[in-house]
Amino acid sequence: MTPRIIDTNVNLSRWPTRRVRDDETTRLVTTLSGHGVVEAWAGSFDALLHKDLAGVNARLAHECRVQSRIRLVPFGSVNPAQPDWEEDLRRCVEEHGMPGIRLHPNYHGYPLDHPAFAQLLALAAKRDLVVTLCLQMEDERMMHPAFRVAPVNPAPLATVVAKTPGLRLLLLNSLSVIRGQALQKVIQAGDVSVDLSTREGVGGVASLLEEVALERVLFGSHAPCLYFESAILKLKESALAPAQLRAVQEQNARRLIPTAR
């Protein structure tokens, strides 16, 4: 039986420094649907460098809306270091009906102890939004010499999460940046989950489930930056039980965003 998968971590548009496979939406959707993906939460590569995030988010919402093969769910970008970021957040919710947002602190130039970051999380929680926080987007070995961006420093995150009641936070591309006790501290601070896109090593997902509660691990491919098939392989070589597979592939994501939204 073909699995039902919710991919919590894909991006539309083009990576700034090179072409990657499936960087056209129709091709990406074909790849996803061919592997059993029924829903994908999509950000936009344009959000990394474009200053006009309102335009980026409007294009993202349109691109997701015109796709019918799978359900593409747009996650608009908000930069709390910019003036009028509250208006960008309002548009994401009220104009585009987005159930969540995607944040890129290292590209947008603010640390996680920035007061506006805490304000954004609080407002997102008040609006019942899922916040997806990217700790990195590209492996340092792949970076263009003129386009080197350090990963987000996650040290302040647990404190900020603990002070934000109602926050639902999903860390993307995080497992090569935060590990061990530091990761557990953040997850224990609130309703925090992780995607598996950057989990490496033999039996990586199985060993992750020994560190993190099952309900806090979600399927995410980081396609098309990474090959979608690599995320599928992570599950296969970890030999998870059927109930664990269903939870990681679909049920845990559905807890954050019910079908009706």
Side-chain angles (χ1 to χ4, degrees):
M1 180 183 294
T2 302
R4 287 176 55 89
I5 298 174
I6 297 175
D7 190 339
T8 64
N9 183 8
V10 305
N11 285 277
L12 308 187
S13 194
R14 300 278 171 80
W15 182 252
T17 60
R18 67 183 188 278
R19 294 296 302 271
V20 296
R21 192 187 77 171
D22 291 344
D23 62 4
E24 296 176 355
T25 303
T26 53
R27 294 182 61 181
L28 177 61
V29 166
T30 297
T31 295
L32 296 175
S33 63
H35 288 280
V37 174
V38 296
E39 178 174 312
W41 301 356
S44 173
F45 285 139
D46 293 349
L48 303 182
L49 299 180
H50 291 212
K51 290 186 176 181
D52 178 19
L53 289 181
V56 170
N57 294 335
R59 292 193 300 273
L60 173 66
H62 172 76
E63 191 76 3
C64 290
R65 191 165 52 246
V66 300
Q67 297 297 323
S68 59
R69 193 165 181 176
I70 67 173
R71 184 184 184 214
L72 280 183
V73 182
F75 274 59
S77 292
V78 179
N79 180 358
Q82 282 189 339
D84 297 328
W85 61 264
E86 296 95 335
E87 176 63 12
D88 285 329
L89 183 68
R90 185 198 67 78
R91 288 175 177 171
C92 286
V93 178
E94 298 179 12
E95 296 184 12
H96 306 308
M98 295 175 176
I101 56 175
R102 189 164 293 184
L103 306 182
H104 299 281
N106 50 344
Y107 287 86
H108 291 165
Y110 60 90
L112 298 189
D113 56 1
H114 193 295
F117 174 65
Q119 294 169 13
L120 172 55
L121 295 186
L123 188 53
K126 184 177 180 180
R127 286 184 171 270
D128 195 30
L129 296 172
V130 175
V131 177
T132 55
L133 174 63
C134 299
L135 295 192
Q136 67 176 165
M137 287 294 288
E138 187 178 29
D139 189 300
E140 291 181 344
R141 295 168 294 183
M142 297 295 295
M143 290 180 180
H144 189 284
F147 192 60
R148 302 193 66 81
V149 182
V152 176
N153 177 6
L157 190 55
T159 299
V160 178
V161 169
K163 293 180 179 179
T164 314
L167 173 66
R168 292 175 296 152
L169 180 66
L170 172 58
L171 303 181
L172 302 180
N173 314 327
S174 64
L175 297 176
S176 60
V177 178
I178 183 170
R179 309 177 183 86
Q181 292 184 349
L183 174 61
Q184 293 177 18
K185 183 178 179 181
V186 172
I187 289 179
Q188 292 166 3
D191 188 348
V192 181
S193 303
V194 296
D195 88 314
L196 56 79
S197 62
T198 52
R199 184 66 172 188
E200 303 295 343
V202 176
V205 177
S207 64
L208 176 63
L209 294 179
E210 296 175 358
E211 306 171 26
V212 177
L214 173 63
E215 63 270 18
R216 301 297 184 92
V217 178
L218 280 63
F219 183 94
S221 68
H222 194 29
C225 249
L226 301 179
Y227 287 143
F228 177 85
E229 292 81 1
S230 68
I232 293 291
L233 183 60
K234 294 176 197 294
L235 293 179
K236 289 182 177 179
E237 58 89 29
S238 285
L240 303 182
Q244 291 177 312
L245 275 175
R246 289 192 297 272
V248 172
Q249 290 178 161
E250 181 180 17
Q251 293 170 352
N252 295 342
R254 189 56 69 217
R255 177 184 69 86
L256 293 180
I257 302 180
T259 306
R261 289 199 65 174

